[in-house]
Amino acid sequence: MMRRPHIIAIPYPAQGHVIPLMELCLCLVKHGCKVTFVNSHFNHNRIIKSMSEADNAINLVSVPDGLVVEEDRNDLKKLTEALFEVVPGKLEALIHNINESDKNRVSCVIADESLGWALDLAKKLGLQRVAFWPAAAASLSMMFNVQKLVDDGVVGKNGEILRKPSIKLLPLMPAMNTTDLVWNCFSDPGLQRLIFDLAIKNNESVKAAEWIICNSSQVMEYDVFASYPKLIPIGPLLASNRLGKTSGHFWREDTDCLKWLDQQPLNSVIYVAFGSHTIFDMAEFQELALGLELTNRPFLWVVRQGFIEGAGTPYPEGFIDRTRNCGRLVEWAPQQEVLAHPSLGCFLSHCGWNSTIEGVSNGLPFLCWPYFADQPFNKSYICDVWKIGLGFDRNENGVIGRQEIKNKVEQLFGDETFKTRAVDLQGEVLSCVKSGGSSNRNFNSFVNWIKGTD
Ligand code: UDP
């Protein structure tokens, strides 16, 4: 009898890492693999609270993240340090316990690429090793070049910027500001250093990975995949690929907004969402609200708990009443279903990679409002490479003003070429996951390797 592979999957403990890894695991379950998915206790509890009963095709387990319950998981320095100290030992013990109690012993570890230590552990235990990168291949290739940036004198040996305002790895890749290199997004020098050191360390660990798979598609980043053949695109990993709903949400989805979308005209709604991390200050928040109002178009806006610095959600006076008929506010949307809705006209996004690939897969034009990490780079792809969106310009106070928002909305809706290019890209991207497409072929080879039938 053929053995049933037993996979341990471990994400970095953030929403944008958990959802796509879970998407991947659900695909693997569909192909006959057993998956044990390891969240931190903290995230596990949130996921269990937010999920519907139908969502349990994979075995969800948890380990501590090294912080006590009350500690702030947005403090990335503390979280990352605690994680590296505590989780490796816990993961090893978990694998040991599974192997003691389950006939179906663990055969493979799929770890988020940023958890290189999990790959080291898998190697030590003699297991198959897979690194999963939930973002653009372009941003991973940038991380792979950290040592080269040091050698070329672009950054110092602690990651500090030494020269060149912008860098370009490949001819067709957009230029990137050195201030946008991921560790430089943080103001705390200790955190900068920590992230930089981890990048160097991960680059070593990932050498032990037998596969490095990406939630991306060859047609979105052709030149990157051509230059880094070890990176294998298998995306987009959308729930619709397995005819289901997304799983792994930290907040409960407000599905009522889908009924509201049903009542809106075709291609009319501006969907506004900034992912799971972005925090706005009061001035930006108020300008965004007033800008949406000024557009005179229907909008669906995700205003997550904790979205604004400080307490509460200080909408401009009278905003809620004035926009009652055209605007809908939710705390967390079923985003993939929203993006697939025919009433959507465009996606005003922070350009997190999951949002980017989800919007692209639905043929939507973008308005780009990047916040940090890989988002400015993703924005460059959206606006300059694929030409399916527009960015906003900041005023002399560094704020994106209401009039700028209105103007860009009009420009995007007024020029059909954005939509035409978005629909063309959607067609190309979706054909990659159809039978015989490049992502589909890669995924099938990957599954055969996991099963030992390649
Ligand atoms: N998301 C969602 N509902 C929302 C906002 C976001 O389901 O209201 C999902 C979205 O579909 C995506 C993930 O959360 O899969 C956010 O990931 P992304 O990489 O876009 O941003 P991050 O949260 O990492 O900044």
Side-chain angles (χ1 to χ4, degrees), residues 303-348:
V303 184
R304 223 185 49 241
Q305 283 168 20
F307 180 57
I308 302 140
E309 250 169 28
T313 23
Y315 293 101
E317 209 183 325
F319 170 79
I320 300 281
D321 283 337
R322 291 194 304 273
T323 58
R324 199 172 293 286
N325 291 330
C326 65
R328 176 89 188 194
L329 303 168
V330 290
E331 287 198 2
W332 192 250
Q335 180 163 300
Q336 289 196 13
E337 287 166 85
V338 166
L339 294 173
H341 197 284
S343 72
L344 267 241
C346 77
F347 186 5
L348 197 166

Side-chain angles (χ1 to χ4, degrees), residues 14-17 19-20 134 246 249 251 253 271-278 302-304 330-336 339 347 349-356 358 371-372 374-375 378:
Q15 182 70 98
H17 293 242
I19 291 179
T246 40
H249 291 261
W251 295 270
E253 296 159 284
Y271 173 59
V272 186
F274 293 87
S276 58
H277 276 297
T278 317
V302 180
V303 184
R304 223 185 49 241
V330 290
E331 287 198 2
W332 192 250
Q335 180 163 300
Q336 289 196 13
L339 294 173
F347 186 5
S349 171
H350 73 313
C351 311
W353 181 252
N354 294 291
S355 295
T356 301
E358 290 163 5
Y371 175 66
F372 85 138
D374 58 340
Q375 298 154 16
N378 298 338

Side-chain angles (χ1 to χ4, degrees), residues 234-274:
I234 54 157
L237 287 165
L238 301 175
S240 53
N241 295 341
R242 52 177 178 81
L243 304 172
K245 274 169 54 57
T246 40
S247 296
H249 291 261
F250 292 179
W251 295 270
R252 187 172 271 278
E253 296 159 284
D254 180 341
T255 49
D256 283 351
C257 65
L258 297 171
K259 291 183 210 127
W260 180 84
L261 286 174
D262 289 341
Q263 292 154 16
Q264 308 307 318
L266 279 183
N267 299 323
S268 68
V269 176
I270 309 168
Y271 173 59
V272 186
F274 293 87

Side-chain angles (χ1 to χ4, degrees), residues 42 67-76 78-79:
F42 185 81
L67 298 183
V68 295
V69 178
E70 308 77 45
E71 273 179 298
D72 179 11
R73 267 75 189 168
N74 290 324
D75 184 335
L76 287 182
K78 251 193 193 170
L79 177 67

Side-chain angles (χ1 to χ4, degrees), residues 8-26:
I8 293 282
I10 180 158
Y12 183 81
Q15 182 70 98
H17 293 242
V18 171
I19 291 179
L21 184 58
M22 229 179 239
E23 298 272 318
L24 170 68
C25 290
L26 287 163

Side-chain angles (χ1 to χ4, degrees), residues 113 130-131 133 140 144 206 209-214 230-232:
E113 198 276 343
V130 180
W133 180 249
L140 184 55
F144 284 167
V206 87
E210 291 156 284
W211 283 74
I212 308 173
I213 51 178
C214 292
K230 239 201 125 177
L231 296 184
I232 308 295

